[in-house]
Amino acid sequence: NTPIINANGKILPQNTSPENLDRCLTLLSQTPFCSSCSQPTLFLLCSHMTPESHPKDTTLYFQDQPQSKIVLLSSGTLHRELISPTTNTTHTLDSYSTPHLFGAYHLLRSDPAHSSLRSDSNVKIFTLSSSTFRYLLSSFPSIAQDILQSLCKEIRSQSKLLRTPLLEQKSKPIQTLSTSIAATLESFYRSALNSLLNRALISSSSSSLSPISLSSLFPNMHIQIPIRVSYINGFKLSRYYLEKNLSPENYYAPNLVRLLSAFTPGLLMSPLSSILEACNAGHLNPEPLYIRWTRGFLPRGTREILFGLGLNQLSDYCEERVPNSITNVVLKNAIGSLVAGVISGYLSHVPHNLSSLKLMVPGKSYKEHWRGLVEKRRGDGGGWIERWIGGGKGVWGVMTVVAPKGVLIRTMQIVGSFMILNGAINYIDALQYRTKEKKQIRV
């Protein structure tokens, strides 16, 4: 705990309080900058860090000013502010709670700070000046080695994080058996939720609902199961085929090509989806199946595009962005599927409602069905909406899009479908891989 003297001959302040020292050691060891540092290194750094307290709305350092110190947050919250050089607009980048270290990557040569650091509340911090840091590095080479090891560890962990843009995810090799098993399981879940949603859409009140029976929840399963298996395999195989045979980089507008490629599986699978929907609506629309499946085809195609994007690209996109602290592959897949299902289900609810109503009541036009959805939403909205925002047609039209009839059922259906399909496919593929490995080991 020897005092350190800077270039001006002044004795630098040291953190001599045992309580502060213990707190600083605990926090600093949890930061990426010092995650692999030894206890002697941590002690050397912490024993020369200064405890400080600051009130709310204090700027601890400023953007573009030389980084003269690092800040270790002990309690409270801090946020970074960046002033855009082109628009002079202030952007709040992130908000942080303990433990977090600020300014460490600009400290060695006092580089200009990337952004300002401000307190959101009363905060307690530890600071270490750049001059002290440089002196410690030159006096104790082990500190530099430990910090370098910590930074290498952080770089390796960051390099493992997948951050592929939305339309650039690559499909995994397709195993038809696992996809077919998953689609068979999911077909029962989808049929039940779809039947419940149709009841909610077609019934004007709860008193008009007929008793729920197994036959109404799972109609025509001898047709639904093989069609659903073909439908899900079609989504996966068409995506895989397009990725293998289409190179967007070779075209003038690669992002447009990627977008059209992502739309294609949904468009191709729309006829099969129409047959599935027609099977669910048989007890409501007496038309023959070969006619019934054509009803509501246009909005259904839009819905299938959104479903395909959610099942394929968006599920992979969300799974990649699950925090790295979650290492369980099954859990990461489930979280990614859940988030993608919520987004896809919510965005596709209006096309789904229109296509379902047209299928069940083909005698009405889309305009009449839309008016019916608006009126039903108005009837379910309650008086508070009219009291607060008025009751004009435009308001209820917006409400029909923002919070439509059956949106929770639809979202649950898509979330469950994504989790069952992606989860079962990955689980079965993993089982097949392990079985193959065991056979190779025996040989």
Side-chain angles (χ1 to χ4, degrees):
N1 217 13
T2 304
I4 292 183
I5 301 175
N6 66 10
N8 298 323
K10 294 182 64 176
I11 297 178
L12 299 174
Q14 299 186 51
N15 181 3
T16 54
S17 166
E19 296 80 8
N20 284 334
L21 183 59
D22 289 341
R23 176 68 173 165
C24 187
L25 287 168
T26 301
L27 294 174
L28 192 62
S29 64
Q30 297 175 19
T31 64
F33 192 70
C34 294
S35 60
S36 296
C37 289
S38 63
Q39 283 298 316
T41 293
L42 291 172
F43 181 83
L44 281 168
L45 292 171
C46 290
S47 63
H48 294 93
M49 295 184 79
T50 306
E52 299 178 9
S53 297
H54 296 278
K56 182 180 178 181
D57 295 328
T58 300
T59 302
L60 300 178
Y61 57 75
F62 291 90
Q63 178 181 337
D64 296 329
Q65 295 299 311
Q67 189 78 53
S68 60
K69 62 183 178 182
I70 56 174
V71 175
L72 177 63
L73 180 60
S74 177
S75 65
T77 56
L78 298 170
H79 72 270
R80 294 188 300 135
E81 290 183 353
L82 178 68
I83 300 176
S84 172
T86 55
T87 63
N88 204 33
T89 304
T90 301
H91 302 277
T92 300
L93 300 182
D94 301 289
S95 183
Y96 300 91
S97 57
T98 184
H100 203 88
L101 189 66
F102 301 89
Y105 304 124
H106 296 76
L107 185 67
L108 185 60
R109 296 185 177 178
S110 298
D111 294 326
H114 170 258
S115 55
S116 300
L117 185 65
R118 289 178 59 83
S119 57
D120 290 326
S121 63
N122 295 337
V123 296
K124 292 183 178 180
I125 61 174
F126 296 98
T127 63
L128 179 68
S129 68
S130 58
S131 58
T132 304
F133 183 63
R134 287 192 292 268
Y135 190 96
L136 288 171
L137 289 180
S138 61
S139 302
F140 303 94
S142 60
I143 294 180
Q145 295 176 20
D146 284 354
I147 291 177
L148 181 59
Q149 177 60 30
S150 299
L151 294 177
C152 288
K153 180 181 176 182
E154 176 66 10
I155 291 171
R156 288 197 302 269
S157 66
Q158 291 296 326
S159 66
K160 293 178 182 177
L161 295 176
L162 296 175
R163 289 293 184 268
T164 313
L166 177 58
L167 298 177
E168 298 182 25
Q169 284 80 15
K170 296 300 180 183
S171 174
K172 301 171 185 175
I174 304 301
Q175 301 291 337
T176 306
L177 176 62
S178 58
T179 305
S180 300
I181 295 173
T184 301
L185 296 173
E186 184 267 346
S187 64
F188 289 92
Y189 177 84
R190 176 216 155 266
S191 178
L193 269 293
N194 212 49
S195 297
L196 292 175
L197 181 55
N198 287 345
R199 287 163 56 87
L201 288 174
I202 203 67
S203 301
S204 58
S205 66
S206 59
S207 60
S208 64
L209 292 174
S210 59
I212 298 176
S213 63
L214 285 177
S215 60
S216 65
L217 292 177
F218 307 108
N220 302 306
M221 293 307 292
H222 63 291
I223 300 176
Q224 287 204 61
I225 291 175
I227 294 295
R228 191 67 175 178
V229 169
S230 302
Y231 169 83
I232 298 300
N233 274 294
F235 268 113
K236 298 292 185 179
L237 291 170
S238 57
R239 176 195 180 188
Y240 186 76
Y241 177 84
L242 288 170
E243 287 180 358
K244 290 296 182 183
N245 295 277
L246 188 66
S247 299
E249 297 80 8
N250 297 334
Y251 293 85
Y252 176 74
N255 286 331
L256 178 60
V257 175
R258 292 189 184 99
L259 185 63
L260 294 176
S261 177
F263 285 0
T264 301
L267 293 174
L268 293 177
M269 294 302 108
S270 292
L272 292 181
S273 174
S274 297
I275 296 174
L276 287 170
E277 296 292 331
C279 289
N280 271 107
H283 60 295
L284 297 170
N285 181 352
E287 292 179 326
L289 181 61
Y290 65 86
I291 295 177
R292 194 163 69 235
W293 77 274
T294 62
R295 307 300 188 185
F297 189 83
L298 183 62
R300 192 173 299 116
T302 304
R303 183 198 69 186
E304 292 309 309
I305 289 174
L306 295 171
F307 181 88
L309 278 169
L311 180 65
N312 288 332
Q313 286 84 2
L314 189 58
S315 291
D316 293 346
Y317 178 89
C318 294
E319 183 179 349
E320 287 179 357
R321 282 151 181 81
V322 173
N324 206 36
S325 57
I326 300 176
T327 57
N328 187 288
V329 177
V330 176
L331 183 58
K332 292 184 72 170
N333 180 265
I335 294 173
S337 297
L338 187 150
V339 176
V342 170
I343 297 172
S344 182
Y346 183 77
L347 294 178
S348 66
H349 62 257
V350 172
H352 175 83
N353 288 353
L354 288 174
S355 66
S356 296
L357 288 170
K358 186 66 175 177
L359 173 62
M360 294 182 288
V361 189
K364 290 185 178 181
S365 65
Y366 286 116
K367 188 175 182 180
E368 290 173 313
H369 282 305
W370 171 252
R371 287 176 179 170
L373 285 172
V374 173
E375 289 302 316
K376 186 168 289 189
R377 188 67 192 88
R378 185 173 187 175
D380 295 340
W384 68 270
I385 294 179
E386 293 192 0
R387 287 196 301 270
W388 284 96
I389 59 177
K393 290 183 179 180
V395 170
W396 289 109
V398 172
M399 290 299 296
T400 304
V401 174
V402 174
K405 184 77 172 179
V407 65
L408 291 179
I409 301 176
R410 172 66 181 168
T411 303
M412 285 175 56
Q413 179 193 13
I414 300 300
V415 167
S417 292
F418 285 6
M419 293 180 73
I420 292 171
L421 289 169
N422 292 326
I425 289 172
N426 287 340
Y427 181 73
I428 296 170
D429 285 348
L431 286 179
Q432 289 179 317
Y433 179 77
R434 290 172 189 167
T435 304
K436 189 183 295 185
E437 270 193 334
K438 289 180 180 179
K439 289 181 179 179
Q440 291 176 349
I441 292 173
R442 289 173 184 172
V443 173

